[in-house]
């Protein structure tokens, strides 16, 4: 079994089963939002704001719509400068303990393979183990050039590209740039995503 990842930031997940999965992989402080309860739990809100300023927060929610609403709420609550985002792919399926899959038919964090969670946490924690990336940063202009933003049919192309890259389907333009810069170089993505010349003729 792989050694647990040690992280200084607080890890925030949605529920107790997510926390149990994460605790088998990570040595650190793990808190839960208890789903949408975080919206009205003033004490937990205050705790997250304080811990965020002291240690930083890594948010790891499900890749469905509810997960992204919680992610955005906590990011705004704590302050983006104190928050790092950990993303797992949107994988179809259901957890063994559930009789029915979730509304969108996607695995929650608890059901995602351990290695994908480990990689998501390591990437978000920025633990210094990765070699610095060479080449220039990926920008909004690149998203436009690749047909993923601001062009006819860009929404469809963006969804297809996110599926190919194994990224969650609900990423804002800003988050998409951040995640791409974390995981890829410009040169890697330019080869993968640049529309063929035939598409422009």
């Amino acid at each position: 079994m792989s050694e647990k990842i040690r992280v200084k930031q607080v890890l925030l997940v949605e529920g107790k089963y997510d926390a149990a999965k994460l605790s088998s992989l990570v040595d650190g402080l793990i808190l839960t939002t208890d789903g949408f309860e975080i919206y009205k739990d003033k004490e937990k809100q205050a705790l997250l704001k304080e811990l965020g300023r002291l240690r930083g927060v890594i948010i790891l929610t499900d890749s469905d719509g509810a997960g992204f609403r919680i992610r955005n709420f906590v990011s705004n609550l704590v302050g983006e400068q104190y928050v790092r985002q950990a993303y797992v792919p949107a994988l179809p399926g259901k957890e063994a303990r559930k009789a029915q899959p979730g509304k969108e038919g996607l695995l929650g964090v608890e059901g995602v393979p351990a290695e994908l969670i480990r990689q998501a946490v390591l990437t978000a924690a920025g633990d210094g183990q990765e070699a610095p990336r060479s080449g220039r940063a990926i920008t909004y202009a690149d998203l436009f050039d690749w047909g993923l933003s601001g062009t006819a049919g860009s929404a469809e192309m963006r969804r297809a590209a996110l599926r190919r890259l194994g990224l969650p389907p609900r990423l804002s333009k800003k988050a998409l740039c951040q995640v791409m810069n974390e995981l890829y170089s410009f040169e890697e993505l330019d080869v993968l995503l640049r529309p063929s010349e035939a598409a422009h003729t």
Side-chain angles (χ1 to χ4, degrees), residues 4 11 48 50 54 58 60 73 85 98 100 102 115 124 127 143 167-169 173 184 193-194:
K4 285 189 178 184
L11 288 145
L48 283 171
E50 181 65 20
L54 292 173
I58 294 174
L60 178 61
F73 174 82
Q85 308 287 350
K98 295 181 179 177
Q100 300 291 331
E115 193 48 46
D127 60 356
L143 300 185
L167 295 175
K173 192 161 70 168
Y184 301 94
L193 300 178
R194 180 166 293 282

Side-chain angles (χ1 to χ4, degrees), residues 25 54 63 91 116 139 186:
L25 305 170
L54 292 173
S63 292
L91 301 175
L116 294 177
T139 66
F186 165 77

Side-chain angles (χ1 to χ4, degrees), residues 27-47:
D27 179 8
L29 174 58
I30 301 169
L31 299 176
T32 64
T33 70
D34 300 316
F36 291 128
E37 288 297 309
I38 190 63
Y39 286 11
K40 56 187 179 184
D41 188 337
K42 300 300 183 186
E43 290 181 353
K44 188 168 283 185
Q45 288 179 19
L47 176 63

Side-chain angles (χ1 to χ4, degrees), residues 5-196:
I5 307 163
R6 292 181 65 100
V7 296
K8 67 174 183 178
Q9 297 97 338
V10 178
L11 288 145
L12 185 68
V13 293
E14 290 181 51
K16 63 181 181 180
Y17 295 103
D18 301 330
K21 177 71 170 272
L22 204 57
S23 68
S24 70
L25 305 170
V26 177
D27 179 8
L29 174 58
I30 301 169
L31 299 176
T32 64
T33 70
D34 300 316
F36 291 128
E37 288 297 309
I38 190 63
Y39 286 11
K40 56 187 179 184
D41 188 337
K42 300 300 183 186
E43 290 181 353
K44 188 168 283 185
Q45 288 179 19
L47 176 63
L48 283 171
K49 286 162 78 171
E50 181 65 20
L51 288 172
R53 285 160 178 73
L54 292 173
R55 298 173 57 172
V57 176
I58 294 174
I59 303 176
L60 178 61
T61 56
D62 296 350
S63 292
D64 59 8
F68 272 76
R69 287 197 293 278
I70 293 168
R71 187 185 288 276
N72 291 334
F73 174 82
V74 174
S75 295
N76 291 329
L77 172 75
V78 175
E80 287 193 7
Q81 68 270 37
Y82 303 114
V83 170
R84 296 191 178 191
Q85 308 287 350
Y87 296 101
V88 290
L91 301 175
K94 76 171 185 68
E95 289 73 26
R97 69 181 178 83
K98 295 181 179 177
Q100 300 291 331
K103 189 161 66 172
E104 296 182 30
L106 299 174
L107 287 174
V109 167
E110 63 169 292
V112 171
E115 193 48 46
L116 294 177
I117 295 176
R118 283 178 61 86
Q119 191 54 54
V121 171
L122 279 171
T123 300
D127 60 356
Q129 293 179 6
E130 291 184 322
R133 296 193 178 278
S134 60
R136 69 170 181 78
I138 295 155
T139 66
Y140 291 168
D142 296 322
L143 300 185
F144 179 82
D145 287 344
W146 294 330
L148 306 185
S149 173
T151 59
S154 61
E156 190 175 316
M157 289 182 67
R158 187 159 147 187
R159 281 193 296 271
L162 289 170
R163 278 197 300 272
R164 280 181 66 194
L165 298 173
L167 295 175
R170 288 180 180 78
L171 288 176
S172 67
K173 192 161 70 168
K174 178 181 176 184
L176 181 56
C177 271
Q178 289 175 331
V179 172
M180 284 179 163
N181 276 305
E182 288 279 358
L183 302 178
Y184 301 94
S185 69
F186 165 77
E187 291 78 11
E188 288 172 325
L189 282 184
D190 199 43
V191 170
L192 285 171
L193 300 178
R194 180 166 293 282
S196 65

